């Protein structure tokens, strides 16, 4: 089974596994991400990349960023596939089908294309969390892998909520609830505490309702969601999803196989676990459909309730539907195999079941038809990084816009990688443009930076930016720009080459002060997160030594 | 039942091949140029577009 999971993962990723960095939309990996205070949750913006950026910054001290990215992407797809196979039972046909359905899904392809790798890690650990929950119902001892599964599945807010929900829904009993709650709180503490500290900016623009579940071509949104598709951004939807016949037949096939497999699956898993899986599926599907059926409600929640923005990209929640979908389809194919009398027919049905998802979304193969192509950073970036060093105060990258499509990245869209490539904390424009409309971000410094850039004199701009805590400005001259998002800034030029120039501001910088209470609160949150990792190591070591003691000796 | 399942399995495999052919054809006929001309009046890149 691992060979099939690896083969499917390799076929999905294709050229993305080659040398270079896969930079696509929100997926930004750099050679050596420097750990900086903002990655811990101390920045002025709502901490969207806590704790994922900090975890990567630490891990890439062990593995280079390029290799770490490959390990994360391949690991997520293989682990997810194997987890689905485990949930599908012992029959080979069911396990093969579960791998295909789980990995070769619109959810994986679309989230991979848009670069939401922490979400993919959560998706990958969900079947394992379900399996661990099932085990916990019989044996309430914390398994060796559970702390690491939770940590890997909780690298962003949405991911952490889904991982916690899955584990508690399946594994919570009177005996396990206190310990599971402790583990879940520790795994999610960094983003929860950082979010609470930014409560005044924790509401999002109500126009963010555009991020809800959407139709895929002629396929209506609720049907698209049944096969785990329907992402808001039509740019990252594979072409095959926009032909009515392929996704429609796939949906009908999944529905028929799920109906056939429902009873045997429920018998094997038992009533309590089945109810939990159905509950997870319903929760994931309803959140997604709500974002389509009532975008104004979701927009209002995002705009008025702190944390309500977690609901606005509604299809993220479809990860909760994935374990049951894969298990049901796998059980359905297994039942069909059992109905066949001849070996050749059994093999044909098994092969068709395993290839079903691939056949109806063939363009997902080979990195979505070659679109997931890695790139190398320009040499000038390394020179600018060395010159700037840790800098003083924060960094501003101009043009002050969020996304780029550099020629060296094969003209592929990506969140500007330059701030992460360099070492200092940074302020970036978190406004997003969707369908030609600007959706405001949450960082209170962004309007102030735009106002500073609008001043008529370069020295005045420098003074105003310094008052905002900015000590240096890097300009990428290869990026198309406007006067509103770019302007000369007075200061000392310290680097100029390869399309980049770096100016250190001469004006006295008003450095951001972090309240002591923030440091204490985030210190405790990170201590809990690291404590969970430490507990995982200790617990794993204890489990290994216990197994070695109980292994019968040679005599 | 077995005959139905074999037919369905054949349809899956055949459908996949047909689908791949259609998608390849449509993509080759409708793909945008390698480098789209820059929009001089509004160079700010969109994060995405809805349907």
């Amino acid at each position: 089974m691992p060979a099939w999971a690896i083969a499917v993962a390799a076929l999905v990723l294709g050229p993305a596994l080659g040398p270079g960095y896969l930079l696509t939309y929100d997926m930004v990996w750099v050679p050596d991400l420097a750990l900086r205070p903002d990655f811990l949750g101390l920045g002025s913006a709502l901490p969207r990349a806590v704790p994922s950026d900090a975890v990567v910054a630490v891990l890439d001290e062990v593995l280079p960023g390029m290799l770490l990215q490959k390990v994360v992407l391949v690991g997520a797809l293989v682990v997810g596939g194997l987890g689905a196979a485990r949930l599908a039972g012992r029959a080979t046909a069911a396990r093969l089908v579960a791998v295909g359905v789980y990995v070769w899904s619109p959810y994986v392809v679309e989230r991979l294309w848009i670069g939401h790798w922490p979400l993919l890690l959560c998706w990958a650990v969900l079947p394992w969390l379900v399996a661990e929950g099932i085990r916990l119902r019989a044996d309430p001892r914390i398994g060796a892998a559970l702390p690491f599964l939770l940590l890997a599945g909780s690298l962003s807010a949405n991911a952490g909520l889904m991982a916690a929900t899955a584990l508690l829904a399946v594994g919570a009993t009177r005996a396990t609830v206190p310990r599971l709650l402790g583990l879940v709180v520790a795994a999610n503490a960094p983003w929860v505490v950082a979010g609470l500290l930014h409560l005044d900016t924790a509401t999002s623009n109500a126009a963010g309702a555009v991020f809800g579940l959407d139709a895929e071509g002629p396929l209506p949104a609720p049907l698209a969601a049944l096969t785990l598709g329907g992402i808001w951004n039509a740019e990252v939807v594979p072409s095959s999803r926009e032909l009515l016949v392929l996704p429609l037949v796939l949906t009908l096939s999944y529905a028929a196989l799920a109906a056939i497999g429902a009873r045997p699956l429920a018998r094997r898993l038992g009533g309590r676990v089945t109810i939990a899986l159905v509950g997870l599926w319903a929760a994931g599907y309803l959140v997604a459909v709500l974002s389509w059926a009532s975008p104004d409600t979701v927009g209002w929640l995002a705009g008025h309730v702190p944390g309500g923005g977690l609901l606005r990209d509604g299809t993220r929640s479809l990860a909760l539907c994935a374990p049951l979908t894969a298990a049901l389809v796998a059980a359905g194919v297994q039942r069909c195999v059992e109905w066949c009398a001849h070996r050749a027919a059994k093999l044909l049905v098994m092969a068709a079941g395993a290839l079903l998802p691939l056949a109806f979304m063939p363009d997902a193969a080979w990195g979505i038809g070659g679109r997931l192509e890695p790139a190398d950073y320009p040499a000038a970036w390394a020179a600018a990084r060395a010159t700037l060093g840790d800098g003083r105060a924060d960094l501003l990258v101009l043009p002050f816009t969020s996304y780029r499509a550099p020629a060296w990245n094969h003209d592929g869209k990506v969140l500007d990688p330059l701030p992460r490539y360099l070492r200092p904390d940074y302020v970036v424009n978190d406004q997003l443009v969707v369908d030609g409309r600007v959706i405001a971000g949450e960082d209170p410094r962004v309007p102030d930076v735009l106002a500073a850039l609008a001043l008529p004199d370069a020295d005045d701009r420098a003074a105003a930016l310094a008052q905002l805590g900015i000590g240096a400005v890097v300009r990428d001259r290869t990026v198309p720009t406007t006067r509103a998002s770019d302007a000369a800034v007075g200061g000392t030029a310290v680097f100029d080459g390869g399309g980049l120039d770096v100016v250190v501001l001469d004006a006295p910088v008003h450095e951001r002060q972090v309240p002591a209470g923030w440091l204490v609160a985030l210190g405790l949150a990170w201590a809990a997160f690291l404590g969970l990792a430490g507990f995982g190591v200790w617990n794993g070591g204890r489990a290994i030594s216990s197994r070695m003691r109980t292994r019968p000796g040679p005599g | 039942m077995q005959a139905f399942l074999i037919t369905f399995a054949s349809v899956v495999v055949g459908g996949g091949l047909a689908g791949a052919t259609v998608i390849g054809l449509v993509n080759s006929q409708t793909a945008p140029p390698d480098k789209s001309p820059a929009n001089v009046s509004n160079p700010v890149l969109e994060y995405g577009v809805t349907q």
Side-chain angles (χ1 to χ4, degrees):
Chain A
M1 203 52 59
W4 174 234
I6 290 169
V8 174
L11 197 55
V12 169
L13 291 168
L17 298 177
Y21 300 84
L22 178 60
L23 304 170
T24 172
Y25 289 85
D26 295 335
M27 179 139 30
V28 175
W29 289 71
V30 297
D32 180 13
L33 188 65
L35 186 60
R36 52 202 102 181
D38 284 8
F39 287 178
L40 301 174
L42 294 167
S44 58
L46 193 61
R48 290 186 180 280
V50 172
S52 58
D53 272 343
V55 170
V56 170
V58 170
L59 291 181
D60 75 4
E61 296 301 314
V62 183
L63 271 184
M66 186 196 300
L67 191 57
L68 184 61
Q69 185 188 30
K70 315 288 183 207
V71 169
V72 166
L73 295 179
V74 174
L77 267 54
V78 171
V79 167
L82 291 178
R86 181 172 174 179
L87 210 56
R90 291 185 178 170
T92 304
R95 291 164 68 84
L96 284 172
V97 172
V99 170
V101 173
Y102 204 72
V103 178
W104 204 280
S105 81
Y107 188 88
V108 171
V109 173
E110 291 166 1
R111 292 296 161 183
L112 185 62
W113 199 346
I114 205 168
H116 292 170
W117 63 268
L119 211 55
L120 284 178
L121 278 179
C122 170
W123 158 92
V125 302
L126 281 181
W128 293 96
L129 288 174
V130 169
E132 190 65 9
I134 294 171
R135 190 198 60 77
L136 281 165
R137 302 189 68 76
D139 175 3
R141 284 177 299 179
I142 301 299
L146 183 55
F148 299 110
L149 291 172
L150 271 178
L151 288 171
S154 307
L155 293 184
S156 71
N158 286 93
L161 283 176
M162 290 195 289
T165 306
L167 178 64
L168 291 171
V170 181
T173 62
R174 272 190 198 162
T176 60
V177 157
R179 272 178 290 172
L180 292 188
L181 279 177
L183 296 179
V184 161
V185 167
N188 290 283
W191 71 262
V192 170
V193 171
L196 288 173
L197 294 176
H198 290 81
L199 212 54
D200 53 337
T201 58
T203 51
S204 307
N205 191 300
V210 295
F211 298 118
L213 171 70
D214 207 353
E216 290 190 331
L219 193 69
L223 284 184
L226 282 179
T227 44
L228 313 183
I231 196 168
W232 65 271
N233 189 351
E235 291 178 356
V236 299
V237 175
S239 305
S240 58
R241 296 287 295 174
E242 296 180 343
L243 301 172
L244 179 62
V245 65
L246 289 182
L248 193 60
V249 174
L250 184 69
T251 308
L252 293 174
S253 305
Y254 276 12
L257 290 167
I260 293 168
R263 190 170 288 185
L265 181 70
R267 242 193 331 260
R268 183 168 62 78
L269 293 178
R272 173 64 179 76
V273 174
T274 302
I275 290 171
L277 283 177
V278 171
L280 288 174
W281 186 94
Y285 188 75
L286 288 176
V287 168
V289 170
L290 176 69
S291 68
W292 164 78
S294 187
D296 292 339
T297 306
V298 174
W300 185 87
L301 285 170
H304 294 86
V305 180
L310 293 175
L311 294 175
R312 71 179 189 176
D313 186 353
T315 52
R316 287 176 187 236
S317 66
L318 290 176
L320 289 173
C321 305
L324 182 64
T325 302
L328 277 172
V329 175
V333 172
Q334 177 59 31
R335 194 83 196 277
C336 291
V337 168
E338 289 164 4
W339 282 338
C340 294
H342 303 293
R343 185 176 164 75
K346 285 179 188 286
L347 285 175
L348 182 63
V349 171
M350 185 169 77
L355 296 175
L356 181 70
L358 286 72
F360 285 92
M361 197 171 56
D363 51 341
W366 204 243
I368 318 164
R371 287 181 180 87
L372 300 182
E373 197 176 354
D376 291 315
Y377 285 105
W381 287 33
R385 177 184 157 107
T387 303
L388 187 61
D390 289 334
R392 59 170 190 137
D394 291 353
L395 178 73
L396 176 69
V397 176
L398 298 177
F400 196 52
T401 51
S402 48
Y403 283 82
R404 309 282 191 251
W408 52 262
N409 192 37
H410 320 289
D411 298 315
K413 275 188 198 174
V414 61
L415 183 68
D416 187 5
L418 188 53
R420 278 183 171 78
Y421 192 98
L422 302 172
R423 296 186 63 85
D425 271 323
Y426 49 82
V427 54
V428 291
N429 191 340
D430 56 357
Q431 294 174 333
L432 299 172
V433 183
V434 176
D435 292 338
R437 283 195 306 166
V438 177
I439 298 168
E442 296 97 7
D443 190 342
R445 282 200 291 176
V446 168
D448 296 335
V449 169
L450 288 168
L453 291 174
L455 293 172
D457 181 75
D459 289 331
D460 289 345
R461 289 177 212 129
L465 291 173
Q467 280 301 304
L468 297 172
I470 291 162
V473 174
V474 178
R475 176 176 288 100
D476 187 344
R477 294 192 302 269
T478 65
V479 177
T481 187
T482 62
R483 173 62 187 87
S485 60
D486 197 2
V489 175
T492 304
V494 296
F495 180 85
D496 188 354
L500 288 186
D501 60 67
V502 182
V503 171
V504 174
L505 305 191
D506 297 328
V509 176
H510 176 78
E511 292 196 30
R512 279 186 295 138
Q513 299 298 317
V514 178
W518 280 39
L519 294 175
V520 172
L522 278 168
L524 290 173
W526 280 100
F529 189 82
L530 294 173
L532 181 57
F535 170 70
V537 171
W538 173 79
N539 198 37
R542 200 179 57 153
I544 291 169
S545 65
S546 165
R547 258 182 226 167
M548 289 173 74
R549 273 202 305 273
T550 54
R551 186 178 292 172
Chain B
M1 180 55 76
Q2 183 171 303
F4 170 76
L5 289 174
I6 290 173
T7 308
F8 180 76
S10 306
V11 167
V12 166
V13 175
L17 286 173
T21 308
V22 170
I23 289 162
L25 186 67
V26 170
N27 279 349
S28 67
Q29 297 302 311
T30 60
D34 281 348
K35 291 192 176 182
S36 301
N39 182 347
V40 176
S41 62
N42 182 18
V44 177
L45 270 181
E46 288 196 320
Y47 181 32
V49 291
T50 57
Q51 279 271 331

